[in-house]
Amino acid sequence: ETGVTQSPTHLIKTRGQQVTLRCSSQSGHNTVSWYQQALGQGPQFIFQYYREEENGRGNFPPRFSGLQFPNYSSELNVNALELDDSALYLCASSRPEMNTGELFFGEGSRLTVL
Amino acid sequence: GESVGLHLPTLSVQEGDNSIINCAYSNSASDYFIWYKQESGKGPQFIIDIRSNMDKRQGQRVTVLLNKTVKHLSLQIAATQPGDSAVYFCAETSRYNNNDMRFGAGTRLTVKP
């Protein structure tokens, strides 16, 4: 186990709704990255938070937003949900000061948009 | 655009055989590569990594080979076991900067008893 926990594990929403996904990073890790994984595809980078600031963003629209808290836990918010937002959302924590790019992933939150 | 990709989407091997999973990358600036294993219903799990100043790195039953000339990466699994059945992803990012780790589409490895 990686020590990264995500909630909820599964959820169903309808188009136009908003969703908040949560992630607790591994102890000692100050960086959280969020990925979207569509069925049968590799994870796609959404954004990363380092010390409560956004530290890089992938090709996702502004309706994807996030937060990181002082305890390094994080939230991913998606507004105006679309059918294509249905995917597994993965959170990964890391600590760049360790000089390794290894990401420690949680088991994900599976979002279904109807 | 630049991408990380895999040669084969599926691979089936007999238990005890060696497995080789291949990956091509096109970003010549990439200097850090990682292999992840993802079992059904779980998040990706780190297997092994390699930096661009190396061409081979060995772990427990796994070896990663990097050929920068042809931008090719491979993962070798020795004596493949049923527990190795999973989807394997190669990923690349810049050294010490993993704020844009790019993953390939994955190869599904099935180990037959």
Side-chain angles (χ1 to χ4, degrees):
Chain A
E1 300 300 324
T2 63
V4 177
T5 59
Q6 293 187 240
S7 63
T9 55
H10 296 81
L11 70 167
I12 299 173
K13 294 284 188 178
T14 57
R15 277 188 304 174
Q17 286 189 312
Q18 179 265 345
V19 68
T20 297
L21 307 178
R22 296 178 175 83
C23 172
S24 294
S25 60
Q26 184 180 102
S27 177
H29 286 184
N30 55 17
T31 302
V32 173
S33 304
W34 286 92
Y35 286 81
Q36 180 195 66
Q37 186 176 24
L39 197 61
Q41 298 184 20
Q44 298 296 310
F45 176 72
I46 303 175
F47 44 56
Q48 181 186 81
Y49 279 83
Y50 173 66
R51 294 183 175 177
E52 303 178 58
E53 297 286 335
E54 187 176 291
N55 182 43
R57 187 179 184 94
N59 188 27
F60 281 81
R63 59 190 185 84
F64 286 78
S65 63
L67 285 173
Q68 187 179 33
F69 301 98
N71 65 355
Y72 303 131
S73 66
S74 178
E75 286 183 355
L76 164 65
N77 299 289
V78 187
N79 294 322
L81 284 167
E82 301 176 0
L83 296 180
D84 285 349
D85 295 333
S86 295
L88 180 69
Y89 289 84
L90 294 162
C91 166
S93 73
S94 58
R95 186 175 177 85
E97 293 86 349
M98 293 171 62
N99 290 337
T100 171
E102 180 179 353
L103 298 176
F104 294 80
F105 284 89
E107 298 196 341
S109 294
R110 182 161 299 280
L111 171 65
T112 301
V113 182
L114 302 176
Chain B
E2 296 171 329
S3 64
V4 178
L6 295 175
H7 292 310
L8 296 172
T10 61
L11 176 65
S12 182
V13 300
Q14 206 69 37
E15 182 179 358
D17 287 351
N18 297 332
S19 302
I20 300 176
I21 301 172
N22 296 305
C23 176
Y25 67 95
S26 57
N27 184 359
S28 57
S30 299
D31 54 13
Y32 181 56
F33 305 87
I34 303 177
W35 282 99
Y36 284 91
K37 171 186 180 182
Q38 187 173 27
E39 297 175 280
S40 181
K42 296 187 177 181
Q45 177 186 7
F46 173 90
I47 301 173
I48 192 168
D49 59 358
I50 188 168
R51 301 191 185 280
S52 59
N53 61 352
M54 304 170 67
D55 54 20
K56 180 179 180 179
R57 190 164 187 222
Q58 289 184 294
Q60 185 178 13
R61 282 202 306 120
V62 294
T63 301
V64 55
L65 299 177
L66 175 62
N67 185 330
K68 295 180 286 294
T69 302
V70 295
K71 299 188 182 68
H72 183 267
L73 192 68
S74 69
L75 176 70
Q76 300 178 0
I77 304 174
T80 314
Q81 302 169 359
D84 295 327
S85 293
V87 178
Y88 289 81
F89 296 98
C90 64
E92 60 88 12
T93 187
S94 300
R95 182 179 298 182
Y96 308 149
N97 177 14
N98 64 355
N99 68 353
D100 186 13
M101 189 170 291
R102 287 174 285 176
F103 286 74
T107 292
R108 179 173 296 281
L109 174 66
T110 301
V111 182
K112 297 177 290 185

